[in-house]
Amino acid sequence: YLYEAQKVQVTALGYSYLALCYFMKGDFDKSIQIYSNAITDFPKEPYFYACRCVLNRCLDDDEGAFYDYQVAKRLDFNYHSMLEWHEHLSYLETLKMDQLELQELESTWEQDPERLDVLTKLALEYVHIYDYQKAIRLYSQGINMADNQAEWYVYRAAIYSKLTLYIEALEDCNQALSIDENCVSAYILRAKLLECLHEHDAALEDYRKAASLNPEHTAIYEERASLFERLGKFEDAIVDYSKLIALMKDDFYPYVLRADMFERIGKQEEALLDYNRAIDLNPYYSDLYQYRAAIRESLGDKVGAESDLQKFEELDEE
């Protein structure tokens, strides 16, 4: 019946059901074939690459799994977290046994299950060892206990997003905002989720709202600039990276991000100035010299480019 449905209309959902059907029957090769067909028809859908990555891992095809992981991550960075979680599933108990701090927190929590400060730390420890499902259960407990429930809904939504459970994450963000309409972190996270669902206008509106509530919150400009970049709106991205630089004057990284945007729109001189400033702030980061070398060469400064490449090699060897 699935094949008949696909003959009538080829859909992403049809492919996902077909592949899942073969997976549940244990026919991994056929399932991979279906995912490959889906990728041909829907090349920008990260889900299919992620699923094929998991199957390639099952079949010990490390090269194929790594390729699919890289593509899925590039299309939607949350798949990086989800695939890391999957990779660590079989090691969770071992990871837990190796974490003395986690064991101490567990003991403290058992003795006094009313302490929210302990619950917060415990949930984070489980996030660090990739036990996202346990973290979700702990954040759910926190929601029932906390006075500031909005914050705890955002915590749980962030973990849902790591597992690419976007509907659940959106529901938590909406719940947080129904409790506290000025919850900036909920707007930022919801904007990121909306982008994953290709609702770009709604995502930009959430960033606008967050910026109006807290104009000095650096994550707003970094995340929105990144969205502008993916949308090809490089000038808008430059505006936001400039705001980020104004808020983080001593951090080299925003200069690197803006320099890349200047390069993309052909403003090499401006890019060079940003790389110069980034190197002033962090002269030991080798990659900066390689980036600046490319700019200098494009501007005809071969001596400067060679000097930068030499410095890059020296630092890289260290």
Side-chain angles (χ1 to χ4, degrees):
Y1 286 120
L2 288 169
Y3 272 121
E4 290 301 316
Q6 283 290 81
K7 287 178 184 177
V8 175
Q9 182 181 2
V10 175
T11 66
L13 193 59
Y15 275 129
S16 68
Y17 278 132
L18 265 174
L20 178 62
C21 188
Y22 281 110
F23 174 81
M24 294 175 70
K25 290 169 63 176
D27 191 344
F28 289 0
D29 289 331
K30 186 65 176 177
S31 188
I32 283 180
Q33 180 188 329
I34 299 297
Y35 284 130
S36 298
N37 293 341
I39 286 168
T40 299
D41 286 338
F42 300 94
K44 293 186 178 181
E45 176 50 64
Y47 172 80
F48 294 125
Y49 294 97
C51 290
R52 194 172 67 177
C53 171
V54 170
L55 285 170
N56 280 327
R57 286 175 178 175
C58 293
L59 297 171
D60 295 323
D61 181 0
D62 294 337
E63 185 176 344
F66 182 73
Y67 169 80
D68 284 338
Y69 161 74
Q70 291 293 336
V71 178
K73 180 179 73 169
R74 187 177 72 247
L75 291 170
D76 180 345
F77 194 74
N78 285 317
Y79 279 89
H80 161 71
S81 299
M82 190 273 287
L83 289 168
E84 273 200 327
W85 162 77
H86 172 264
E87 191 173 19
H88 286 84
L89 272 178
S90 59
Y91 307 113
L92 289 183
E93 286 305 315
T94 302
L95 289 168
K96 182 178 176 180
M97 290 172 61
D98 290 340
Q99 297 296 317
L100 295 177
E101 185 175 354
L102 188 150
Q103 294 172 36
E104 290 174 6
L105 286 168
E106 283 276 20
S107 177
T108 305
W109 173 248
E110 288 174 5
Q111 294 170 23
D112 188 358
E114 300 300 317
R115 287 187 58 182
L116 270 176
D117 60 325
V118 175
L119 183 58
T120 304
K121 293 176 182 177
L122 185 59
L124 277 173
E125 286 299 317
Y126 275 107
V127 172
H128 293 156
I129 65 166
Y130 305 98
D131 195 343
Y132 297 152
Q133 290 163 313
K134 176 69 173 180
I136 285 170
R137 291 195 293 272
L138 292 173
Y139 284 131
S140 298
Q141 286 182 256
I143 287 169
N144 294 326
M145 296 166 55
D147 293 328
N148 184 7
Q149 287 184 311
E151 185 178 288
W152 283 80
Y153 275 111
V154 175
Y155 292 159
R156 190 173 69 177
I159 309 305
Y160 277 139
S161 70
K162 285 179 177 289
L163 291 170
T164 65
L165 296 171
Y166 294 144
I167 302 305
E168 291 87 343
L170 276 172
E171 287 175 352
D172 272 1
C173 287
N174 291 337
Q175 188 63 37
L177 290 168
S178 71
I179 296 168
D180 178 6
E181 63 180 7
N182 295 322
C183 184
V184 172
S185 59
Y187 281 113
I188 295 172
L189 181 54
R190 191 171 71 174
K192 293 168 69 175
L193 291 165
L194 289 168
E195 181 191 350
C196 294
L197 296 172
H198 308 291
E199 297 182 25
H200 299 135
D201 289 341
L204 289 171
E205 176 57 24
D206 270 357
Y207 284 130
R208 185 201 65 76
K209 180 65 175 176
S212 71
L213 291 169
N214 188 349
E216 295 189 357
H217 198 306
T218 56
I220 298 167
Y221 305 110
E222 184 173 3
E223 296 292 349
R224 187 171 64 183
S226 182
L227 172 54
F228 280 138
E229 185 178 341
R230 285 187 285 275
L231 293 174
K233 297 182 177 182
F234 301 135
E235 295 282 3
D236 290 326
I238 287 170
V239 171
D240 270 354
Y241 284 137
S242 297
K243 291 177 181 176
L244 193 62
I245 287 169
L247 293 170
M248 304 170 63
K249 294 182 176 65
D250 297 326
D251 191 327
F252 79 98
Y253 194 56
Y255 286 98
V256 178
L257 295 172
R258 191 174 68 177
D260 184 50
M261 291 300 97
F262 279 135
E263 277 192 78
R264 294 196 188 194
I265 62 174
K267 293 188 175 181
Q268 308 296 82
E269 295 284 358
E270 288 86 344
L272 179 60
L273 290 174
D274 273 355
Y275 283 129
N276 289 343
R277 182 58 181 148
I279 288 171
D280 287 342
L281 292 169
N282 190 348
Y284 304 107
Y285 187 48
S286 62
D287 287 351
L288 295 178
Y289 295 94
Q290 189 176 39
Y291 301 152
R292 191 172 68 177
I295 292 292
R296 283 180 159 176
E297 186 166 359
S298 71
L299 291 170
D301 181 6
K302 295 187 181 297
V303 174
E306 289 176 6
S307 174
D308 273 350
L309 287 175
Q310 184 177 350
K311 185 66 176 178
F312 163 73
E313 291 171 1
E314 289 174 4
L315 291 172
D316 215 35
E317 287 174 2
E318 294 175 8

